[in-house]
């Protein structure tokens, strides 16, 4: 028999997932917007031209729901030269949450996993790099550790030739809050390189220039020197690629390509000599 209190107690209802669904749709829409921008950059076309290539209304290339239909996924697969599975993964799976959700927890310490992943990187074993970095992300407890793991995971994807994933993880690494300044600039330099590998040359030059400008006000150390060396290399290499596409820019971009490359060689060779490490 029910008590008076029980009879007037409101029924228990399952918790609504509407809020979580709205957040997921918003994040997926953001990823779709970035992918559309990537496709425009890859093809060197306007949004209207891309819409025509995708057989979409230019005003509705990105659906308000953030939930693309199969024809849009397949169209992006065609224009980006990606497997359809990679397009779907990039849209529906949050890379950081996916990595953090892997089981089981590793038994090794973060520093041990860091050492092993660095060795795998230098041996060119990109599959092992990605496996170990996933474990590093699972147990990372500081901004420094999260940034290091995400940055090396980007490098692992770069080694595998999966440049879109490398760009994604480089962006994650560079945007982790509360990183040491020198580490943040190094990850930004690697982000510039990831843009360059995707042939996003103006983005690469812009990010590399930001690294070089901000590094001038920082206390100098080996991490910052490496960041400057990478940024100079990217700035010079990206301008060389611009010249390859637009030979008429040689008089302007030629000197702007040579000087950064010379500076990169000087900085990175100095690091290699002082640290007895030819990986630089």
């Amino acid at each position: 028999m029910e008590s008076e209190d029980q009879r007037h107690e409101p029924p228990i209802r399952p918790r609504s997932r509407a809020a979580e669904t709205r957040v997921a749709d918003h994040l997926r829409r953001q990823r779709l917007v970035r992918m559309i921008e990537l496709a425009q950059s890859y093809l060197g076309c306007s949004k209207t031209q891309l819409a025509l290539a995708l057989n979409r209304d230019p005003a509705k290339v990105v659906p308000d729901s953030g939930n693309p239909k199969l024809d849009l996924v397949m169209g992006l697969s065609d224009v980006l030269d990606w497997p359809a599975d990679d397009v779907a993964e990039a849209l529906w799976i949050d890379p950081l949450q996916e990595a953090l959700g892997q089981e089981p927890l590793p038994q090794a310490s973060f520093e041990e996993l860091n050492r092993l992943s660095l060795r795998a990187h230098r041996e060119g074993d990109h599959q092992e790099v990605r496996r170990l970095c996933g474990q590093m992300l699972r147990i990372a407890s500081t901004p420094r550790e999260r940034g290091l793991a995400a940055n090396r995971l980007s490098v692992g994807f770069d080694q595998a030739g999966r440049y879109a994933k490398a760009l994604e993880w480089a962006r994650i690494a560079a945007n982790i809050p509360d990183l040491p300044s020198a580490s943040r600039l190094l990850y930004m330099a690697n982000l510039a390189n990831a843009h360059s590998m995707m042939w996003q040359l103006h983005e690469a030059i812009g990010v590399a220039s930001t690294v070089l400008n901000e590094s001038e006000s920082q206390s100098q150390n080996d991490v910052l020197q490496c960041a400057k060396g990478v940024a100079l290399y990217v700035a010079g290499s990206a301008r060389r690629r611009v010249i390859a596409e637009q030979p008429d820019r040689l008089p302007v971009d030629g000197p702007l390509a040579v000087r950064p490359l010379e500076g990169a060689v000087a900085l990175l060779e100095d690091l290699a000599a002082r640290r007895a490490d030819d990986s630089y």
Side-chain angles (χ1 to χ4, degrees):
M1 188 172 179
E2 292 179 338
S3 70
E4 189 70 22
D5 288 343
Q6 286 175 320
R7 284 196 297 271
H8 289 85
E9 194 172 84
I12 296 174
R13 294 184 176 88
R15 183 167 63 92
S16 170
R17 294 184 59 82
E20 287 115 333
T21 301
R22 284 196 297 271
V23 170
D25 288 346
H26 174 69
L27 291 174
R28 186 165 53 247
R29 191 176 193 281
Q30 287 183 319
R31 294 184 201 123
L32 182 54
V33 168
R34 288 198 295 268
M35 189 170 289
I36 293 295
E37 292 171 347
L38 174 62
Q40 284 181 243
S41 177
Y42 183 66
L43 294 177
C45 67
S46 68
K47 186 175 179 179
T48 299
Q49 291 171 321
L50 178 63
L52 292 173
L54 296 172
N55 196 27
R56 310 284 293 184
D57 182 339
K60 298 179 180 178
V61 177
V62 178
D64 292 336
S65 66
N67 194 15
K69 293 182 179 179
L70 180 60
D71 66 320
L72 179 55
V73 173
M74 298 306 296
L76 286 168
S77 171
D78 287 340
V79 300
L80 288 170
D81 294 324
W82 289 10
D85 286 350
D86 282 0
V87 175
E89 178 183 331
L91 291 174
W92 269 276
I93 298 176
D94 183 297
L96 194 53
Q97 290 303 316
E98 181 191 26
L100 294 177
Q102 292 175 353
E103 296 289 350
L105 282 170
Q107 298 300 309
S109 69
F110 183 90
E111 293 306 325
E112 175 66 9
L113 292 170
N114 179 36
R115 184 184 67 78
L116 292 172
S117 68
L118 181 59
R119 183 173 70 185
H121 162 56
R122 291 180 174 177
E123 291 174 353
D125 189 347
H126 56 82
Q127 290 184 330
E128 183 68 357
V129 170
R130 301 201 305 274
R131 185 186 73 82
L132 291 167
C133 287
Q135 294 187 356
M136 289 165 67
L137 283 166
R138 287 280 291 144
I139 61 174
S141 59
T142 66
R144 183 193 74 84
E145 290 177 350
R146 286 190 287 273
L148 195 158
N151 182 69
R152 189 161 299 145
L153 186 51
S154 171
V155 172
F157 280 115
D158 180 86
Q159 284 181 303
R162 297 185 64 184
Y163 300 125
K165 294 293 286 185
L167 176 61
E168 182 177 28
W169 279 100
R171 186 179 287 115
I172 289 172
N175 284 286
I176 288 175
D178 302 320
L179 284 170
S181 295
S183 297
R184 182 178 62 83
L185 290 174
L186 177 59
Y187 302 156
M188 286 181 65
N190 288 338
L191 173 60
N193 185 62
H195 276 299
S196 183
M197 295 305 294
M198 290 294 293
W199 219 258
Q200 298 171 6
L201 304 179
H202 296 296
E203 291 89 340
I205 292 168
V207 176
S209 297
T210 298
V211 172
L212 295 170
N213 291 336
E214 291 191 16
S215 66
E216 294 304 315
S217 60
Q218 304 288 327
S219 299
Q220 300 301 302
N221 55 47
D222 285 355
V223 175
L224 190 63
Q225 182 170 335
C226 184
K228 291 169 66 176
V230 173
L232 286 167
Y233 165 76
V234 172
S237 296
R239 289 191 184 279
R240 287 181 65 235
R241 290 182 170 187
V242 170
I243 294 169
E245 289 191 328
Q246 304 174 48
D248 59 299
R249 294 194 59 85
L250 178 60
V252 174
D253 283 317
L256 295 176
V258 172
R259 286 193 294 270
L261 290 171
E262 291 175 341
V265 169
L267 288 174
L268 297 176
E269 283 188 346
D270 175 70
L271 269 178
R274 286 192 295 102
R275 300 187 65 137
D277 184 348
D278 61 7
S279 66
Y280 290 99

